[in-house]
Amino acid sequence: MTKHTKAILDLLDAHYGTEYVCYLHHENAWQLLIATMLSAQCTDARVNIVTKDLFQKYTCIDDFADADLKELEQDIHSTGFYHNKAKNIIACCQDLRDKFGGEVPESIEELTSLAGVGRKTANVIRGNIFHEPSVVVDTHVKRISKKLGITKEDDPVKVEMELMKALPKDHWILWNIQIITHGRQICKAPTPKCEECFLQEHCMDYQKRQHGKDGRRKAAEGKGKTEA
């Protein structure tokens, strides 16, 4: 781990703590799996509103596996992309019932074999349910990791692999938790609160922009003196 990375981790730990927090409400593995599938292109807050009623109506994997597609679409409509999400949830739960005995599998290979489950969703399950060190790359993690100079990649899988190399295992899950919090509170897209950010001096993007401003300012001052 580089000094740069360690300094960032120490500051994140100090500001946000090291407690494992899952922002999606759930009582078991399959509920978290469905909630995570619903969270694509949707806020956790909205998903939690939807699943509060959803998990009272559909109380087990079989209920989702046997669900009417149109009815489920209506039930999850407000999370967006509801056609694909409903189709994938039904197919996923059918696989859980028929191939995995009604249990959510643990391995990345088995999880990603399920309909609608990519590496991000699989790693959420592995980290929060099975406590396997996992790096979850969502939009916050990809954007802020790049700003901090921890990765230069855009592809989520490549970002995941780079973060696994850059971060100690005990911070793989924490990175996602802390960076999501940071992204919501300070490093917001598209208007980050850079002046309030405690990572300012370690942020490659901020430093680059500041140097750019300084360069433009000096150039303007030099031009003014020449004209005078």
Side-chain angles (χ1 to χ4, degrees):
M1 178 171 53
T2 65
K3 286 183 180 179
H4 173 71
T5 302
K6 187 177 188 311
I8 291 170
L9 293 182
D10 288 346
L11 286 166
L12 287 170
D13 288 352
H15 278 79
Y16 299 128
T18 56
E19 183 182 353
Y20 285 7
V21 178
C22 183
Y23 294 106
L24 293 169
H25 299 166
H26 65 282
E27 294 178 357
N28 52 52
W30 65 261
Q31 286 188 355
L32 180 58
L33 180 60
I34 289 170
T36 307
M37 292 170 75
L38 291 174
S39 72
Q41 305 296 312
C42 183
T43 65
D44 291 351
R46 166 55 54 187
V47 172
N48 288 335
I49 291 169
V50 170
T51 55
K52 184 179 179 182
D53 293 329
L54 191 71
F55 293 153
Q56 288 183 358
K57 179 175 180 178
Y58 303 88
T59 61
C60 62
I61 287 172
D62 284 346
D63 287 350
F64 280 104
D66 297 330
D68 176 77
L69 178 61
K70 293 296 181 186
E71 188 174 349
L72 183 57
E73 285 179 351
Q74 288 305 308
D75 292 333
I76 65 170
H77 185 275
S78 64
T79 67
F81 300 96
Y82 57 93
H83 292 302
N84 275 338
K85 287 180 181 180
K87 182 180 69 175
N88 284 334
I89 287 170
I90 291 172
C92 175
C93 287
Q94 287 173 348
D95 278 349
L96 289 177
R97 179 186 63 191
D98 301 338
K99 297 179 183 178
F100 297 103
E103 299 292 330
V104 175
E106 182 174 347
S107 77
I108 192 87
E109 294 79 16
E110 289 178 324
L111 282 164
T112 54
S113 75
L114 298 167
V117 178
R119 290 188 69 89
K120 175 200 159 189
T121 299
N123 281 326
V124 168
I125 298 301
R126 282 167 58 75
N128 288 280
I129 299 299
F130 299 109
H131 308 295
E132 286 284 336
S134 307
V135 175
V136 178
V137 179
D138 60 11
T139 54
H140 288 297
V141 167
K142 188 174 94 167
R143 176 174 58 84
I144 297 174
S145 297
K146 201 169 180 181
K147 281 178 176 286
L148 293 171
I150 308 290
T151 181
K152 294 180 180 177
E153 299 291 346
D154 287 309
D155 179 74
V157 175
K158 290 181 179 177
V159 173
E160 179 188 337
M161 297 306 160
E162 282 210 339
L163 291 176
M164 287 169 74
K165 291 177 185 175
L167 304 172
K169 270 193 175 185
D170 62 358
H171 272 75
W172 284 6
I173 298 170
L174 275 174
W175 184 256
N176 178 256
I177 296 166
Q178 293 170 336
I179 294 298
I180 283 179
T181 306
H182 194 64
R184 288 174 177 171
Q185 294 182 5
I186 296 175
C187 194
K188 299 181 177 183
T191 52
K193 301 177 182 178
C194 295
E195 302 310 318
E196 297 177 24
C197 184
F198 57 85
L199 295 175
Q200 198 180 91
E201 65 179 284
H202 304 289
C203 179
M204 302 291 194
D205 181 65
Y206 178 78
Q207 295 300 326
K208 184 179 177 182
R209 283 186 282 114
Q210 287 304 109
H211 289 320
K213 286 179 184 176
D214 291 342
R216 288 192 295 274
R217 191 180 299 117
K218 287 176 182 177
E221 288 171 357
K223 186 180 178 183
K225 286 177 183 176
T226 303
E227 289 173 350

